[in-house]
Amino acid sequence: MAEAAAKAAQEEADTVLKPADQAGPEDLLLADGYIFCAPENLAAISGLMKEFFDRSYYPVLGKIEGKPYAQMVCAGSDGENAARQIARIATGWRLKEVQPPLIICTHAQTPEAILAEKKIRNDELEKCAEIGAALAAGLSLGVF
């Protein structure tokens, strides 16, 4: 999902794709906008994504206000709680939501399906690409 969004964004603006465990406050300070992409685990954002937010929240508080963001969540059944968590963090940072969260549901409900590598359908990846392209275009045009 993140790769599809980043690839489309690269056609419109300089784009950096970083996994949560490699990203930090300095990345947030350097970026003009953000797409937060996370799996939902046990009705919450993944531990790695939560740890990224934990490490980054206070060092950038008051320094990234007004920047645009979008989010994408990959969930097994719902995804709403993970999206709410990200939105609450973004609200604390005073970021500007530029579109509603995209939640892609894999319907993984058995232990085997939950642990298996997920395959996101092409039509869903197109939605991810649209988010990347739209955010990057908005930044390039000065809309955000």
Side-chain angles (χ1 to χ4, degrees):
M1 292 171 59
E3 289 172 358
K7 183 178 177 183
Q10 287 172 341
E11 297 177 18
E12 297 285 340
D14 291 336
T15 303
V16 176
L17 174 62
K18 279 201 173 181
D21 63 342
Q22 296 175 22
E26 60 282 349
D27 299 298
L28 291 166
L29 293 170
L30 290 172
D32 294 323
Y34 319 100
I35 299 175
F36 300 116
C37 184
E40 181 182 57
N41 294 338
L42 303 172
I45 56 175
S46 69
L48 284 177
M49 194 69 170
K50 173 74 167 68
E51 197 269 335
F52 159 74
F53 285 127
D54 287 345
R55 279 186 291 108
S56 302
Y57 190 82
Y58 291 108
V60 302
L61 189 61
K63 299 176 184 175
I64 60 173
E65 293 177 358
K67 291 187 179 185
Y69 87 97
Q71 63 167 306
M72 302 182 300
V73 174
C74 183
S77 61
D78 181 59
E80 293 291 331
N81 194 51
R84 275 193 298 276
Q85 283 182 293
I86 293 170
R88 287 180 62 115
I89 293 163
T91 297
W93 276 336
R94 308 294 190 265
L95 298 179
K96 179 182 175 184
E97 182 183 63
V98 295
Q99 71 173 57
L102 172 64
I103 298 173
I104 294 185
C105 186
T106 64
H107 303 286
Q109 295 299 302
T110 65
E112 296 78 20
I114 291 166
L115 295 172
E117 185 173 333
K118 307 303 181 277
K119 176 72 173 152
I120 307 299
R121 295 188 332 247
N122 285 338
D123 63 316
E124 294 171 324
L125 289 175
E126 287 174 19
K127 292 177 185 177
C128 298
E130 289 170 7
I131 290 173
L135 182 62
L139 288 167
S140 293
L141 294 170
V143 174
F144 306 129

